[in-house]
Amino acid sequence: MKIKLSKSDIDGALVTQISKVSGEDFKQCYQCGNCSGGCPVSYAMDIPPSQIIRFLQLGRFELVMEANSMWVCVGCLQCYSRCPKGVSAANILEAARQLSLRKGTDHERIEDLPVSFLKTAPQQAIVCGFRKFVS
Ligand code: SF4
Ligand code: SF4
């Protein structure tokens, strides 16, 4: 007998996967907002770090994966340093990014980068960019 999983079952399983990859327990977050308040790039995120965690608590995997937050995060760990519950939004966004790239879809296509940019950008920036945005 084939078991048909509902969308919420699948989203729940994917949320569990983010928890496993990140090593973070979303339930610990009590939504104080300190992480978002200290994040230097939350202004550019579709969904700030604290709300990313709230959506994961609610099982809304697809909203997290559609938002640009995981790509905008610079990994500065300010969120983690300010969290009174020891939850790392940085780890969670990194896990979401890993899961996205593991599907084999590049966030940035190398062939789309202008030659002028490749000629002038520091090599380290280009390599870091490839590691972050290319599967
Ligand atoms: S690690 Fe990412 S989410 Fe956390 S404060 Fe820095 S930029 Fe924001
Ligand atoms: S600082 Fe910690 S407890 Fe507060 S909203 Fe962010 S993750 Fe949750």
Side-chain angles (χ1 to χ4, degrees), residues 28-35 50 53 79 82-85 87:
Q28 292 299 315
C29 169
Y30 59 8
Q31 288 292 295
C32 67
N34 271 354
C35 51
S50 55
I53 296 170
C79 49
R82 291 168 61 105
C83 179
K85 299 292 285 180
V87 178

Side-chain angles (χ1 to χ4, degrees), residues 82-117:
R82 291 168 61 105
C83 179
K85 299 292 285 180
V87 178
S88 171
N91 280 352
I92 291 165
L93 289 170
E94 170 69 11
R97 195 174 62 77
Q98 288 294 332
L99 290 180
S100 178
L101 292 177
R102 284 178 197 177
K103 286 190 293 188
T105 312
D106 296 338
H107 184 64
E108 298 285 353
R109 285 164 26 103
I110 296 171
E111 53 269 41
D112 290 344
L113 296 174
V115 174
S116 57
F117 168 76

Side-chain angles (χ1 to χ4, degrees), residues 39-41 45 49 73-79 89-90 93:
C39 174
V41 291
M45 291 180 175
C73 170
V74 293
C76 65
L77 302 181
Q78 177 83 305
C79 49
L93 289 170

Side-chain angles (χ1 to χ4, degrees), residues 40-66:
V41 291
S42 63
Y43 70 90
M45 291 180 175
D46 294 333
I47 304 174
S50 55
Q51 287 179 28
I52 287 283
I53 296 170
R54 185 61 183 144
F55 280 129
L56 290 172
Q57 289 173 336
L58 297 171
R60 300 301 303 274
F61 178 82
E62 83 288 357
L63 290 177
V64 171
M65 298 309 281
E66 283 166 10

Side-chain angles (χ1 to χ4, degrees), residues 110-132:
I110 296 171
E111 53 269 41
D112 290 344
L113 296 174
V115 174
S116 57
F117 168 76
L118 292 172
K119 278 185 177 169
T120 54
Q123 285 183 349
Q124 193 175 9
I126 294 173
V127 171
C128 288
F130 285 173
R131 290 184 63 186
K132 179 168 180 177

